[in-house]
Amino acid sequence: MHFYQNERVALFIDGANLYATVKALQFDIDYKRLLMLFRNKGHLVRALYYTALVEDQEYSSIRPLVDWLDYNGYTMVTKPTKEFTDSMGRRKIKGNMDIELAVDAMRLSETLDHIVLFSGDGDFRPLVAALQQKGKRVSVVSTLQTAPPMVADDLRRQADQFIDLADLETMICRDPTSRPMTSAPALVARATSERPPVERAYTSRRETNSRTVSIDASSGADQSAPAVGPRT
């Protein structure tokens, strides 16, 4: 990674896309280590995390992560998901955050020198080009180490710098043996503890009631995953 120490840097994290990437790479992110890594690279102005939330569930597995990040140096950008029925009559939930991320990146770019985009979504290529036209450096964080690659080729080529998430694993990963089993109520109570909870499945079955909630994995909604607690 190439950063200048006097650069004003901001992280824009597409939560659903990042989750899918680390799942494919088979490691969990320690979000405290991730923040410290980029704080040491330059002047970190902001770290924004984008995700959609299902509001009518008793418990959402992503809520402890959202709460922890909000109290520990990240700016959370969330919105309610929208429910729809597909052509096969299946109930699905959609919550795409691309527009919110793009608008914030353009709005904040005046106070930044370097934008770090955690996403492999090719839809962000025009955003990267627009930021570059404003004189900003843009790094894209995703991976080529999966089959197929998680990053769109045109997005990778447009970026000033491509950072493979696999190369950061030793610097930002969490030890999987250190995660205890934790109940859902305990998770909520510990959301602001020292160690962040691990983000779990964006597509899963909700076992707490009689119905199954289908999540559109491309939408960014992560509301029906099994509960996972913070590591100590």
Side-chain angles (χ1 to χ4, degrees):
M1 294 190 296
H2 182 64
F3 288 79
Y4 299 105
Q5 283 295 322
N6 61 343
E7 280 188 319
R8 295 169 299 175
V9 179
L11 312 183
F12 291 83
I13 302 172
D14 178 350
N17 195 278
L18 178 61
Y19 167 78
T21 302
V22 296
K23 182 179 180 182
L25 292 172
Q26 299 183 336
F27 75 89
D28 293 325
I29 290 180
D30 184 326
Y31 285 92
K32 178 178 287 187
R33 296 183 69 189
L34 177 66
L35 205 62
M36 290 305 301
L37 174 64
F38 285 93
R39 279 176 175 166
N40 292 332
K41 293 294 181 182
H43 175 56
L44 185 62
V45 175
R46 194 85 67 207
L48 300 103
Y49 188 101
Y50 296 79
T51 190
L53 298 172
V54 174
E55 294 189 327
D56 62 350
Q57 289 187 356
E58 290 181 14
Y59 175 76
S60 168
S61 65
I62 196 176
R63 177 58 68 179
L65 176 70
V66 169
D67 291 342
W68 189 93
L69 294 175
D70 198 27
Y71 279 96
N72 288 274
Y74 290 83
T75 299
M76 301 307 300
V77 184
T78 65
K79 73 176 182 181
T81 57
K82 293 182 178 180
E83 183 178 329
F84 69 99
T85 303
D86 67 10
S87 59
M88 302 296 292
R90 294 172 297 190
R91 175 175 173 260
K92 290 193 174 183
I93 298 172
K94 183 177 182 180
N96 193 297
M97 300 292 294
D98 292 1
I99 296 298
E100 288 79 3
L101 191 155
V103 169
D104 286 349
M106 292 299 294
R107 180 172 55 85
L108 294 174
S109 63
E110 298 299 330
T111 60
L112 302 173
D113 302 307
H114 193 158
I115 289 87
V116 182
L117 174 63
F118 283 77
S119 182
D121 190 341
D123 290 344
F124 286 123
R125 191 204 63 78
L127 170 64
V128 173
L131 291 167
Q132 291 169 331
Q133 290 171 5
K134 293 169 70 69
K136 311 303 176 182
R137 296 180 65 217
V138 183
S139 294
V140 168
V141 183
S142 187
T143 189
L144 291 168
Q145 304 303 314
T146 56
M150 295 297 294
V151 62
D153 188 63
D154 54 350
L155 177 65
R156 179 177 62 85
R157 292 177 181 273
Q158 184 69 50
D160 295 291
Q161 176 178 218
F162 174 69
I163 302 171
D164 200 305
L165 199 61
D167 296 334
L168 304 183
E169 179 175 355
T170 58
M171 293 178 275
I172 65 171
C173 72
R174 179 190 301 279
D175 180 4
T177 64
S178 66
R179 183 174 67 249
M181 296 299 293
T182 309
S183 64
L187 276 172
V188 176
R190 297 172 59 186
T192 60
S193 65
E194 181 181 358
R195 302 306 298 270
V198 178
E199 183 173 3
R200 280 303 172 195
Y202 274 78
T203 304
S204 182
R205 289 173 177 260
R206 186 179 178 193
E207 307 261 350
T208 56
N209 58 25
S210 59
R211 57 180 180 151
T212 298
V213 178
S214 297
I215 301 296
D216 183 350
S218 66
S219 70
D222 167 24
Q223 315 315 324
S224 53
V228 179
R231 295 180 179 165
T232 57

